[in-house]
Short mmCIF file of all heavy atoms in Angstrom, two decimals:
data_model
loop_
_atom_site.label_atom_id
_atom_site.label_comp_id
_atom_site.label_asym_id
_atom_site.label_seq_id
_atom_site.Cartn_x
_atom_site.Cartn_y
_atom_site.Cartn_z
N MET A 1 -9.30 2.80 9.72
CA MET A 1 -8.96 2.97 8.30
C MET A 1 -9.57 1.78 7.52
O MET A 1 -9.65 0.74 8.01
CB MET A 1 -7.43 3.05 8.14
CG MET A 1 -6.83 4.26 8.75
SD MET A 1 -5.09 4.53 8.35
CE MET A 1 -4.34 3.28 9.47
N THR A 2 -9.78 2.04 6.28
CA THR A 2 -10.38 1.05 5.40
C THR A 2 -9.40 0.60 4.32
O THR A 2 -8.75 1.41 3.72
CB THR A 2 -11.59 1.65 4.69
OG1 THR A 2 -12.45 2.28 5.67
CG2 THR A 2 -12.37 0.60 3.93
N ILE A 3 -9.33 -0.71 4.15
CA ILE A 3 -8.44 -1.24 3.17
C ILE A 3 -9.01 -0.99 1.71
O ILE A 3 -10.22 -1.06 1.52
CB ILE A 3 -8.34 -2.80 3.32
CG1 ILE A 3 -7.75 -3.11 4.71
CG2 ILE A 3 -7.45 -3.39 2.23
CD1 ILE A 3 -6.46 -2.54 4.96
N ILE A 4 -8.17 -0.58 0.83
CA ILE A 4 -8.61 -0.25 -0.55
C ILE A 4 -9.10 -1.50 -1.24
O ILE A 4 -8.51 -2.56 -1.12
CB ILE A 4 -7.54 0.48 -1.35
CG1 ILE A 4 -8.12 1.16 -2.56
CG2 ILE A 4 -6.37 -0.39 -1.62
CD1 ILE A 4 -7.16 2.13 -3.25
N THR A 5 -10.21 -1.37 -1.93
CA THR A 5 -10.65 -2.49 -2.80
C THR A 5 -9.97 -2.46 -4.13
O THR A 5 -9.47 -1.43 -4.57
CB THR A 5 -12.15 -2.47 -2.92
OG1 THR A 5 -12.47 -1.30 -3.70
CG2 THR A 5 -12.87 -2.48 -1.64
N ASP A 6 -10.01 -3.63 -4.84
CA ASP A 6 -9.50 -3.65 -6.23
C ASP A 6 -10.23 -2.63 -7.11
O ASP A 6 -9.66 -1.94 -7.95
CB ASP A 6 -9.68 -5.05 -6.82
CG ASP A 6 -8.74 -6.02 -6.14
OD1 ASP A 6 -7.82 -5.59 -5.46
OD2 ASP A 6 -8.95 -7.27 -6.33
N GLU A 7 -11.47 -2.45 -6.87
CA GLU A 7 -12.36 -1.56 -7.70
C GLU A 7 -11.88 -0.04 -7.40
O GLU A 7 -11.79 0.71 -8.33
CB GLU A 7 -13.87 -1.78 -7.27
CG GLU A 7 -14.79 -1.00 -8.16
CD GLU A 7 -16.23 -1.38 -7.82
OE1 GLU A 7 -16.62 -1.13 -6.68
OE2 GLU A 7 -16.92 -1.92 -8.69
N GLN A 8 -11.68 0.24 -6.17
CA GLN A 8 -11.24 1.55 -5.80
C GLN A 8 -9.90 1.84 -6.36
O GLN A 8 -9.61 2.94 -6.95
CB GLN A 8 -11.21 1.79 -4.27
CG GLN A 8 -12.57 1.84 -3.66
CD GLN A 8 -12.46 1.77 -2.13
OE1 GLN A 8 -11.65 1.09 -1.57
NE2 GLN A 8 -13.39 2.49 -1.44
N ALA A 9 -8.98 0.90 -6.29
CA ALA A 9 -7.57 1.06 -6.83
C ALA A 9 -7.68 1.23 -8.33
O ALA A 9 -7.02 2.08 -8.87
CB ALA A 9 -6.75 -0.12 -6.48
N ALA A 10 -8.55 0.42 -9.03
CA ALA A 10 -8.64 0.62 -10.50
C ALA A 10 -9.21 1.97 -10.87
O ALA A 10 -8.70 2.57 -11.87
CB ALA A 10 -9.53 -0.48 -11.01
N LYS A 11 -10.08 2.49 -10.07
CA LYS A 11 -10.67 3.78 -10.39
C LYS A 11 -9.55 4.88 -10.22
O LYS A 11 -9.46 5.80 -11.05
CB LYS A 11 -11.81 4.04 -9.40
CG LYS A 11 -12.62 5.27 -9.72
CD LYS A 11 -13.87 5.40 -8.81
CE LYS A 11 -14.67 6.62 -9.07
NZ LYS A 11 -15.80 6.80 -8.16
N LEU A 12 -8.77 4.83 -9.20
CA LEU A 12 -7.70 5.76 -8.97
C LEU A 12 -6.69 5.72 -10.12
O LEU A 12 -6.30 6.68 -10.68
CB LEU A 12 -7.07 5.57 -7.62
CG LEU A 12 -7.84 5.92 -6.40
CD1 LEU A 12 -7.03 5.57 -5.15
CD2 LEU A 12 -8.07 7.47 -6.40
N ARG A 13 -6.32 4.46 -10.54
CA ARG A 13 -5.33 4.26 -11.57
C ARG A 13 -5.86 4.82 -12.91
O ARG A 13 -5.12 5.36 -13.74
CB ARG A 13 -4.95 2.80 -11.68
CG ARG A 13 -4.12 2.33 -10.46
CD ARG A 13 -3.84 0.84 -10.46
NE ARG A 13 -3.07 0.53 -9.26
CZ ARG A 13 -3.40 -0.45 -8.39
NH1 ARG A 13 -4.39 -1.23 -8.69
NH2 ARG A 13 -2.71 -0.69 -7.31
N GLY A 14 -7.20 4.66 -13.06
CA GLY A 14 -7.79 5.21 -14.25
C GLY A 14 -7.75 6.71 -14.30
O GLY A 14 -7.80 7.27 -15.39
N ALA A 15 -7.57 7.37 -13.12
CA ALA A 15 -7.47 8.76 -13.06
C ALA A 15 -6.02 9.14 -12.97
O ALA A 15 -5.70 10.30 -12.60
CB ALA A 15 -8.26 9.35 -11.86
N ASN A 16 -5.09 8.29 -13.36
CA ASN A 16 -3.65 8.42 -13.36
C ASN A 16 -3.09 8.76 -11.98
O ASN A 16 -2.12 9.53 -11.83
CB ASN A 16 -3.26 9.56 -14.30
CG ASN A 16 -3.41 9.13 -15.77
OD1 ASN A 16 -3.09 7.99 -16.06
ND2 ASN A 16 -3.89 9.97 -16.59
N ILE A 17 -3.77 8.22 -10.96
CA ILE A 17 -3.20 8.38 -9.59
C ILE A 17 -2.49 7.03 -9.26
O ILE A 17 -3.14 5.98 -9.29
CB ILE A 17 -4.34 8.63 -8.59
CG1 ILE A 17 -4.93 10.03 -8.91
CG2 ILE A 17 -3.84 8.53 -7.17
CD1 ILE A 17 -6.18 10.29 -8.15
N ALA A 18 -1.26 7.13 -8.91
CA ALA A 18 -0.48 5.91 -8.58
C ALA A 18 -0.89 5.37 -7.23
O ALA A 18 -1.10 6.11 -6.29
CB ALA A 18 1.07 6.25 -8.58
N VAL A 19 -1.11 4.07 -7.23
CA VAL A 19 -1.55 3.41 -5.95
C VAL A 19 -0.48 2.33 -5.59
O VAL A 19 -0.17 1.57 -6.42
CB VAL A 19 -2.88 2.80 -6.23
CG1 VAL A 19 -3.38 2.12 -4.90
CG2 VAL A 19 -3.92 3.80 -6.72
N PRO A 20 -0.06 2.31 -4.34
CA PRO A 20 0.82 1.28 -3.96
C PRO A 20 0.15 -0.07 -3.83
O PRO A 20 -1.07 -0.14 -3.74
CB PRO A 20 1.35 1.71 -2.59
CG PRO A 20 0.52 2.78 -2.17
CD PRO A 20 -0.24 3.28 -3.26
N HIS A 21 0.97 -1.13 -3.97
CA HIS A 21 0.39 -2.51 -3.92
C HIS A 21 1.35 -3.33 -3.10
O HIS A 21 2.53 -3.18 -3.16
CB HIS A 21 0.33 -3.05 -5.33
CG HIS A 21 -0.14 -4.47 -5.39
ND1 HIS A 21 -1.41 -4.91 -5.16
CD2 HIS A 21 0.60 -5.63 -5.57
CE1 HIS A 21 -1.54 -6.21 -5.28
NE2 HIS A 21 -0.27 -6.64 -5.46
N VAL A 22 0.76 -4.21 -2.26
CA VAL A 22 1.57 -5.12 -1.49
C VAL A 22 1.32 -6.57 -2.00
O VAL A 22 0.11 -6.97 -2.08
CB VAL A 22 1.24 -5.12 0.06
CG1 VAL A 22 2.06 -6.10 0.83
CG2 VAL A 22 1.41 -3.66 0.57
N ASN A 23 2.36 -7.29 -2.33
CA ASN A 23 2.05 -8.61 -2.93
C ASN A 23 2.12 -9.69 -1.80
O ASN A 23 2.36 -9.38 -0.62
CB ASN A 23 2.99 -8.96 -4.08
CG ASN A 23 4.44 -9.10 -3.62
OD1 ASN A 23 4.74 -9.57 -2.51
ND2 ASN A 23 5.42 -8.80 -4.55
N GLU A 24 1.93 -10.99 -2.20
CA GLU A 24 1.75 -12.03 -1.24
C GLU A 24 3.02 -12.43 -0.54
O GLU A 24 3.01 -13.21 0.43
CB GLU A 24 1.15 -13.21 -1.98
CG GLU A 24 2.01 -13.87 -2.92
CD GLU A 24 2.19 -13.10 -4.26
OE1 GLU A 24 1.45 -12.12 -4.46
OE2 GLU A 24 3.04 -13.51 -5.03
N THR A 25 4.09 -11.82 -0.88
CA THR A 25 5.41 -12.23 -0.21
C THR A 25 5.59 -11.44 1.10
O THR A 25 6.52 -11.73 1.80
CB THR A 25 6.62 -11.91 -1.13
OG1 THR A 25 6.71 -10.53 -1.33
CG2 THR A 25 6.57 -12.62 -2.39
N CYS A 26 4.70 -10.52 1.39
CA CYS A 26 4.75 -9.76 2.72
C CYS A 26 4.93 -10.77 3.92
O CYS A 26 4.20 -11.74 3.98
CB CYS A 26 3.54 -8.94 2.97
SG CYS A 26 3.42 -8.24 4.53
N ILE A 27 5.94 -10.51 4.75
CA ILE A 27 6.16 -11.31 5.95
C ILE A 27 5.66 -10.65 7.26
O ILE A 27 5.86 -11.16 8.35
CB ILE A 27 7.65 -11.72 6.07
CG1 ILE A 27 8.51 -10.44 6.16
CG2 ILE A 27 8.05 -12.61 4.98
CD1 ILE A 27 9.96 -10.71 6.54
N GLY A 28 5.01 -9.49 7.02
CA GLY A 28 4.35 -8.91 8.19
C GLY A 28 5.33 -8.26 9.22
O GLY A 28 5.05 -8.16 10.40
N CYS A 29 6.45 -7.79 8.67
CA CYS A 29 7.43 -7.18 9.61
C CYS A 29 6.99 -5.86 10.18
O CYS A 29 7.61 -5.39 11.18
CB CYS A 29 8.78 -7.07 8.95
SG CYS A 29 8.84 -5.73 7.73
N SER A 30 6.12 -5.21 9.54
CA SER A 30 5.45 -3.93 9.95
C SER A 30 6.38 -2.74 9.71
O SER A 30 6.05 -1.59 10.12
CB SER A 30 4.99 -3.88 11.35
OG SER A 30 6.00 -3.81 12.29
N ALA A 31 7.47 -2.84 8.97
CA ALA A 31 8.28 -1.73 8.68
C ALA A 31 7.53 -0.67 7.88
O ALA A 31 7.67 0.49 8.18
CB ALA A 31 9.54 -2.13 7.90
N CYS A 32 6.78 -1.07 7.02
CA CYS A 32 6.02 -0.11 6.13
C CYS A 32 5.01 0.59 6.99
O CYS A 32 4.76 1.80 6.73
CB CYS A 32 5.30 -0.81 4.95
SG CYS A 32 4.27 -2.17 5.39
N VAL A 33 4.38 -0.05 7.95
CA VAL A 33 3.43 0.57 8.78
C VAL A 33 4.12 1.65 9.67
O VAL A 33 3.59 2.72 9.88
CB VAL A 33 2.70 -0.46 9.66
CG1 VAL A 33 1.71 0.17 10.62
CG2 VAL A 33 2.06 -1.51 8.79
N ALA A 34 5.38 1.33 10.14
CA ALA A 34 6.06 2.28 10.99
C ALA A 34 6.44 3.54 10.18
O ALA A 34 6.48 4.66 10.69
CB ALA A 34 7.31 1.61 11.58
N ILE A 35 6.79 3.34 8.91
CA ILE A 35 7.31 4.36 8.06
C ILE A 35 6.15 5.18 7.47
O ILE A 35 6.17 6.43 7.39
CB ILE A 35 8.21 3.81 6.94
CG1 ILE A 35 9.43 3.30 7.54
CG2 ILE A 35 8.50 4.87 5.87
CD1 ILE A 35 10.27 2.44 6.57
N SER A 36 5.12 4.54 7.07
CA SER A 36 4.03 5.18 6.32
C SER A 36 2.68 4.66 6.77
O SER A 36 1.91 4.02 6.17
CB SER A 36 4.20 4.92 4.80
OG SER A 36 3.19 5.61 4.04
N GLY A 37 2.42 5.00 8.11
CA GLY A 37 1.27 4.53 8.78
C GLY A 37 -0.10 4.99 8.25
O GLY A 37 -1.11 4.43 8.52
N ASP A 38 0.01 6.03 7.45
CA ASP A 38 -1.31 6.56 6.76
C ASP A 38 -1.71 5.63 5.62
O ASP A 38 -2.87 5.57 5.26
CB ASP A 38 -1.07 7.97 6.22
CG ASP A 38 -1.02 9.02 7.29
OD1 ASP A 38 -1.40 8.72 8.41
OD2 ASP A 38 -0.56 10.13 6.94
N VAL A 39 -0.68 4.88 5.04
CA VAL A 39 -0.86 4.18 3.84
C VAL A 39 -1.02 2.65 4.12
O VAL A 39 -1.80 1.99 3.43
CB VAL A 39 0.28 4.39 2.85
CG1 VAL A 39 0.15 3.50 1.62
CG2 VAL A 39 0.23 5.90 2.48
N PHE A 40 -0.26 2.13 5.08
CA PHE A 40 -0.22 0.66 5.21
C PHE A 40 -0.72 0.29 6.65
O PHE A 40 -0.48 0.97 7.62
CB PHE A 40 1.20 0.16 5.10
CG PHE A 40 1.80 0.48 3.79
CD1 PHE A 40 2.64 1.54 3.64
CD2 PHE A 40 1.56 -0.31 2.66
CE1 PHE A 40 3.25 1.87 2.42
CE2 PHE A 40 2.14 -0.07 1.45
CZ PHE A 40 3.01 1.04 1.31
N GLU A 41 -1.48 -0.78 6.72
CA GLU A 41 -1.82 -1.35 7.98
C GLU A 41 -1.74 -2.83 7.93
O GLU A 41 -1.93 -3.44 6.79
CB GLU A 41 -3.15 -0.83 8.47
CG GLU A 41 -4.38 -1.31 7.68
CD GLU A 41 -5.66 -0.83 8.30
OE1 GLU A 41 -5.68 0.31 8.84
OE2 GLU A 41 -6.69 -1.60 8.29
N LEU A 42 -1.58 -3.49 9.03
CA LEU A 42 -1.58 -5.03 9.08
C LEU A 42 -2.99 -5.49 9.17
O LEU A 42 -3.81 -5.02 9.99
CB LEU A 42 -0.71 -5.52 10.17
CG LEU A 42 0.82 -5.13 10.12
CD1 LEU A 42 1.50 -5.87 11.22
CD2 LEU A 42 1.45 -5.46 8.71
N ASN A 43 -3.32 -6.52 8.36
CA ASN A 43 -4.66 -7.12 8.44
C ASN A 43 -4.68 -8.23 9.59
O ASN A 43 -3.70 -8.40 10.29
CB ASN A 43 -5.06 -7.72 7.10
CG ASN A 43 -4.19 -8.84 6.59
OD1 ASN A 43 -3.51 -9.46 7.42
ND2 ASN A 43 -4.22 -9.09 5.33
N ASP A 44 -5.77 -8.83 9.71
CA ASP A 44 -5.95 -9.88 10.71
C ASP A 44 -4.89 -11.02 10.61
O ASP A 44 -4.73 -11.73 11.62
CB ASP A 44 -7.38 -10.44 10.74
CG ASP A 44 -8.38 -9.41 11.12
OD1 ASP A 44 -8.03 -8.40 11.68
OD2 ASP A 44 -9.54 -9.54 10.82
N GLU A 45 -4.41 -11.22 9.45
CA GLU A 45 -3.42 -12.26 9.30
C GLU A 45 -1.98 -11.72 9.41
O GLU A 45 -1.01 -12.50 9.22
CB GLU A 45 -3.60 -12.86 7.82
CG GLU A 45 -4.91 -13.52 7.68
CD GLU A 45 -5.16 -13.98 6.21
OE1 GLU A 45 -4.38 -13.63 5.34
OE2 GLU A 45 -6.09 -14.78 6.04
N GLY A 46 -1.86 -10.47 9.80
CA GLY A 46 -0.52 -9.97 10.03
C GLY A 46 0.15 -9.53 8.74
O GLY A 46 1.45 -9.31 8.81
N LYS A 47 -0.58 -9.39 7.71
CA LYS A 47 0.07 -8.99 6.40
C LYS A 47 -0.30 -7.53 6.14
O LYS A 47 -1.47 -7.04 6.49
CB LYS A 47 -0.47 -9.79 5.26
CG LYS A 47 -0.12 -11.37 5.45
CD LYS A 47 1.31 -11.61 5.33
CE LYS A 47 1.64 -13.14 5.39
NZ LYS A 47 1.43 -13.74 4.10
N SER A 48 0.55 -6.89 5.46
CA SER A 48 0.32 -5.43 5.14
C SER A 48 -0.72 -5.26 4.03
O SER A 48 -0.65 -6.04 3.07
CB SER A 48 1.63 -4.78 4.80
OG SER A 48 1.45 -3.46 4.42
N GLU A 49 -1.51 -4.28 4.19
CA GLU A 49 -2.43 -3.94 3.13
C GLU A 49 -2.43 -2.41 2.99
O GLU A 49 -2.14 -1.71 3.87
CB GLU A 49 -3.84 -4.46 3.48
CG GLU A 49 -3.93 -5.98 3.58
CD GLU A 49 -5.26 -6.50 3.13
OE1 GLU A 49 -5.81 -5.99 2.11
OE2 GLU A 49 -5.78 -7.40 3.84
N VAL A 50 -2.93 -1.98 1.80
CA VAL A 50 -2.94 -0.56 1.51
C VAL A 50 -4.32 0.04 1.91
O VAL A 50 -5.39 -0.51 1.55
CB VAL A 50 -2.74 -0.35 0.02
CG1 VAL A 50 -2.85 1.14 -0.39
CG2 VAL A 50 -1.30 -0.82 -0.37
N VAL A 51 -4.25 1.13 2.59
CA VAL A 51 -5.47 1.80 3.11
C VAL A 51 -6.05 2.63 1.88
O VAL A 51 -5.34 3.09 1.03
CB VAL A 51 -5.10 2.75 4.24
CG1 VAL A 51 -6.20 3.68 4.67
CG2 VAL A 51 -4.61 1.94 5.43
N SER A 52 -7.36 2.83 1.92
CA SER A 52 -7.99 3.60 0.89
C SER A 52 -7.84 5.07 1.20
O SER A 52 -8.25 5.64 2.20
CB SER A 52 -9.53 3.25 0.87
OG SER A 52 -10.20 4.05 -0.05
N LEU A 53 -7.15 5.77 0.22
CA LEU A 53 -6.90 7.19 0.27
C LEU A 53 -7.24 7.82 -1.06
O LEU A 53 -7.37 7.06 -2.06
CB LEU A 53 -5.48 7.46 0.57
CG LEU A 53 -4.92 7.00 1.97
CD1 LEU A 53 -3.42 7.26 2.11
CD2 LEU A 53 -5.65 7.63 3.12
N GLU A 54 -7.38 9.14 -1.08
CA GLU A 54 -7.60 9.82 -2.39
C GLU A 54 -6.39 9.85 -3.22
O GLU A 54 -6.46 9.92 -4.48
CB GLU A 54 -8.23 11.17 -2.11
CG GLU A 54 -9.62 11.17 -1.55
CD GLU A 54 -10.24 12.49 -1.43
OE1 GLU A 54 -9.60 13.50 -1.76
OE2 GLU A 54 -11.37 12.51 -0.87
N ASN A 55 -5.27 9.96 -2.60
CA ASN A 55 -3.95 9.79 -3.36
C ASN A 55 -2.89 9.52 -2.34
O ASN A 55 -3.04 9.59 -1.10
CB ASN A 55 -3.64 11.09 -4.13
CG ASN A 55 -3.18 12.20 -3.32
OD1 ASN A 55 -2.09 12.23 -2.73
ND2 ASN A 55 -3.95 13.28 -3.35
N TYR A 56 -1.68 9.12 -2.79
CA TYR A 56 -0.64 8.59 -1.97
C TYR A 56 0.62 9.41 -2.07
O TYR A 56 1.73 8.94 -1.60
CB TYR A 56 -0.37 7.13 -2.35
CG TYR A 56 -1.66 6.29 -2.09
CD1 TYR A 56 -2.60 6.17 -3.10
CD2 TYR A 56 -1.84 5.63 -0.89
CE1 TYR A 56 -3.76 5.46 -2.85
CE2 TYR A 56 -3.01 4.95 -0.62
CZ TYR A 56 -4.00 4.85 -1.63
OH TYR A 56 -5.10 4.10 -1.42
N ASP A 57 0.51 10.63 -2.63
CA ASP A 57 1.66 11.53 -2.69
C ASP A 57 2.05 11.98 -1.30
O ASP A 57 1.20 12.25 -0.45
CB ASP A 57 1.33 12.77 -3.53
CG ASP A 57 1.27 12.46 -5.05
OD1 ASP A 57 1.79 11.38 -5.42
OD2 ASP A 57 0.57 13.21 -5.76
N GLY A 58 3.33 12.09 -1.08
CA GLY A 58 3.84 12.68 0.18
C GLY A 58 3.61 11.85 1.39
O GLY A 58 3.55 12.40 2.53
N LYS A 59 3.41 10.61 1.17
CA LYS A 59 3.10 9.65 2.33
C LYS A 59 4.21 8.72 2.61
O LYS A 59 3.98 7.66 3.25
CB LYS A 59 1.82 8.86 1.94
CG LYS A 59 0.56 9.72 1.68
CD LYS A 59 -0.03 10.29 2.98
CE LYS A 59 -1.34 10.97 2.72
NZ LYS A 59 -1.83 11.61 3.96
N ASP A 60 5.41 9.02 2.09
CA ASP A 60 6.61 8.21 2.44
C ASP A 60 6.50 6.76 1.86
O ASP A 60 7.16 5.86 2.41
CB ASP A 60 6.86 8.19 3.90
CG ASP A 60 7.20 9.49 4.53
OD1 ASP A 60 7.74 10.32 3.87
OD2 ASP A 60 6.72 9.80 5.67
N VAL A 61 5.73 6.55 0.82
CA VAL A 61 5.62 5.19 0.25
C VAL A 61 6.94 4.77 -0.31
O VAL A 61 7.31 3.60 -0.22
CB VAL A 61 4.49 5.22 -0.88
CG1 VAL A 61 4.49 3.87 -1.56
CG2 VAL A 61 3.17 5.52 -0.21
N ASP A 62 7.67 5.68 -0.94
CA ASP A 62 9.02 5.27 -1.51
C ASP A 62 9.91 4.76 -0.36
O ASP A 62 10.71 3.82 -0.61
CB ASP A 62 9.69 6.43 -2.29
CG ASP A 62 8.99 6.70 -3.57
OD1 ASP A 62 8.36 5.76 -4.15
OD2 ASP A 62 8.99 7.86 -4.05
N ASP A 63 9.91 5.45 0.77
CA ASP A 63 10.68 4.95 1.86
C ASP A 63 10.26 3.55 2.35
O ASP A 63 11.13 2.75 2.70
CB ASP A 63 10.63 5.93 3.01
CG ASP A 63 11.38 7.25 2.73
OD1 ASP A 63 12.18 7.30 1.77
OD2 ASP A 63 11.06 8.29 3.41
N ALA A 64 8.96 3.31 2.37
CA ALA A 64 8.40 2.04 2.72
C ALA A 64 8.91 0.97 1.75
O ALA A 64 9.26 -0.13 2.16
CB ALA A 64 6.91 2.11 2.84
N ILE A 65 8.87 1.32 0.43
CA ILE A 65 9.28 0.33 -0.57
C ILE A 65 10.73 0.01 -0.37
O ILE A 65 11.15 -1.11 -0.37
CB ILE A 65 9.05 0.99 -1.97
CG1 ILE A 65 7.61 1.07 -2.28
CG2 ILE A 65 9.84 0.20 -3.05
CD1 ILE A 65 7.32 1.86 -3.55
N ALA A 66 11.54 1.03 -0.04
CA ALA A 66 13.01 0.77 0.17
C ALA A 66 13.26 -0.03 1.36
O ALA A 66 14.23 -0.80 1.42
CB ALA A 66 13.79 2.12 0.20
N ALA A 67 12.43 0.14 2.39
CA ALA A 67 12.67 -0.56 3.68
C ALA A 67 12.13 -2.04 3.66
O ALA A 67 12.57 -2.74 4.54
CB ALA A 67 11.97 0.22 4.80
N CYS A 68 11.19 -2.34 2.80
CA CYS A 68 10.57 -3.68 2.84
C CYS A 68 11.68 -4.70 2.62
O CYS A 68 12.33 -4.71 1.51
CB CYS A 68 9.51 -3.75 1.82
SG CYS A 68 8.71 -5.43 1.80
N PRO A 69 11.87 -5.68 3.48
CA PRO A 69 12.91 -6.62 3.37
C PRO A 69 12.69 -7.71 2.30
O PRO A 69 13.62 -8.39 1.91
CB PRO A 69 12.99 -7.30 4.75
CG PRO A 69 11.59 -7.20 5.33
CD PRO A 69 11.13 -5.82 4.76
N VAL A 70 11.46 -7.83 1.85
CA VAL A 70 11.18 -8.80 0.79
C VAL A 70 10.70 -8.27 -0.54
O VAL A 70 10.08 -8.89 -1.35
CB VAL A 70 10.16 -9.87 1.33
CG1 VAL A 70 10.83 -10.71 2.46
CG2 VAL A 70 8.85 -9.21 1.83
N ASP A 71 10.85 -6.90 -0.63
CA ASP A 71 10.41 -6.24 -1.89
C ASP A 71 8.94 -6.50 -2.27
O ASP A 71 8.56 -6.76 -3.41
CB ASP A 71 11.31 -6.60 -3.07
CG ASP A 71 12.68 -6.07 -2.93
OD1 ASP A 71 12.91 -5.06 -2.29
OD2 ASP A 71 13.61 -6.70 -3.48
N ALA A 72 8.06 -6.53 -1.21
CA ALA A 72 6.64 -6.79 -1.45
C ALA A 72 5.85 -5.64 -1.93
O ALA A 72 4.74 -5.80 -2.39
CB ALA A 72 6.04 -7.39 -0.13
N ILE A 73 6.43 -4.44 -1.80
CA ILE A 73 5.62 -3.22 -2.19
C ILE A 73 6.13 -2.64 -3.49
O ILE A 73 7.30 -2.56 -3.74
CB ILE A 73 5.80 -2.11 -1.05
CG1 ILE A 73 5.50 -2.74 0.31
CG2 ILE A 73 4.80 -0.93 -1.33
CD1 ILE A 73 5.98 -1.76 1.52
N SER A 74 5.09 -2.22 -4.23
CA SER A 74 5.45 -1.55 -5.54
C SER A 74 4.39 -0.50 -5.85
O SER A 74 3.33 -0.52 -5.26
CB SER A 74 5.54 -2.55 -6.66
OG SER A 74 4.32 -3.20 -6.82
N TRP A 75 4.72 0.41 -6.70
CA TRP A 75 3.75 1.32 -7.19
C TRP A 75 3.07 0.67 -8.39
O TRP A 75 3.69 0.10 -9.28
CB TRP A 75 4.38 2.63 -7.74
CG TRP A 75 4.82 3.56 -6.64
CD1 TRP A 75 6.07 3.84 -6.29
CD2 TRP A 75 3.95 4.47 -5.86
NE1 TRP A 75 6.09 4.77 -5.32
CE2 TRP A 75 4.81 5.24 -5.03
CE3 TRP A 75 2.57 4.61 -5.83
CZ2 TRP A 75 4.29 6.12 -4.16
CZ3 TRP A 75 2.10 5.58 -4.92
CH2 TRP A 75 2.92 6.33 -4.12
N ARG A 76 1.83 0.90 -8.56
CA ARG A 76 1.04 0.49 -9.82
C ARG A 76 0.26 1.67 -10.22
O ARG A 76 -0.48 2.20 -9.46
CB ARG A 76 0.20 -0.71 -9.50
CG ARG A 76 0.88 -2.03 -9.37
CD ARG A 76 -0.12 -3.11 -9.41
NE ARG A 76 0.50 -4.38 -9.18
CZ ARG A 76 -0.20 -5.47 -8.97
NH1 ARG A 76 -1.50 -5.48 -8.91
NH2 ARG A 76 0.39 -6.64 -8.77
N ASP A 77 0.44 2.02 -11.47
CA ASP A 77 -0.36 3.11 -11.91
C ASP A 77 -0.81 2.85 -13.33
O ASP A 77 -0.82 1.70 -13.77
CB ASP A 77 0.46 4.49 -11.93
CG ASP A 77 1.82 4.37 -12.57
OD1 ASP A 77 2.04 3.40 -13.29
OD2 ASP A 77 2.61 5.25 -12.35
S1 SF4 B 101 7.69 -3.80 5.01
FE1 SF4 B 101 7.16 -5.43 3.49
S2 SF4 B 101 7.37 -7.40 4.59
FE2 SF4 B 101 7.18 -5.74 6.12
S3 SF4 B 101 4.97 -5.54 6.59
FE3 SF4 B 101 5.44 -4.10 4.98
S4 SF4 B 101 5.04 -5.17 3.03
FE4 SF4 B 101 5.18 -6.67 4.62
#
């Protein structure tokens, strides 16, 4: 899977497609990966990042947001 670039995310948001975002407070617990493995993966530093997809509907992102212990995930549209 490929991590989404800022440019790709901006393009999707420009098309009114909501894209999740993980901020720097991620502690790498991997809960989001367990819940929504199509959307999140851990990078080489053990931090979660968002995978490049055409859209994020129906991918359990809201459940991942709710499960994140440090509120690192949000929707940005
Ligand atoms: S659930 Fe939150 S803290 Fe855990 S890996 Fe995902 S973004 Fe990071």
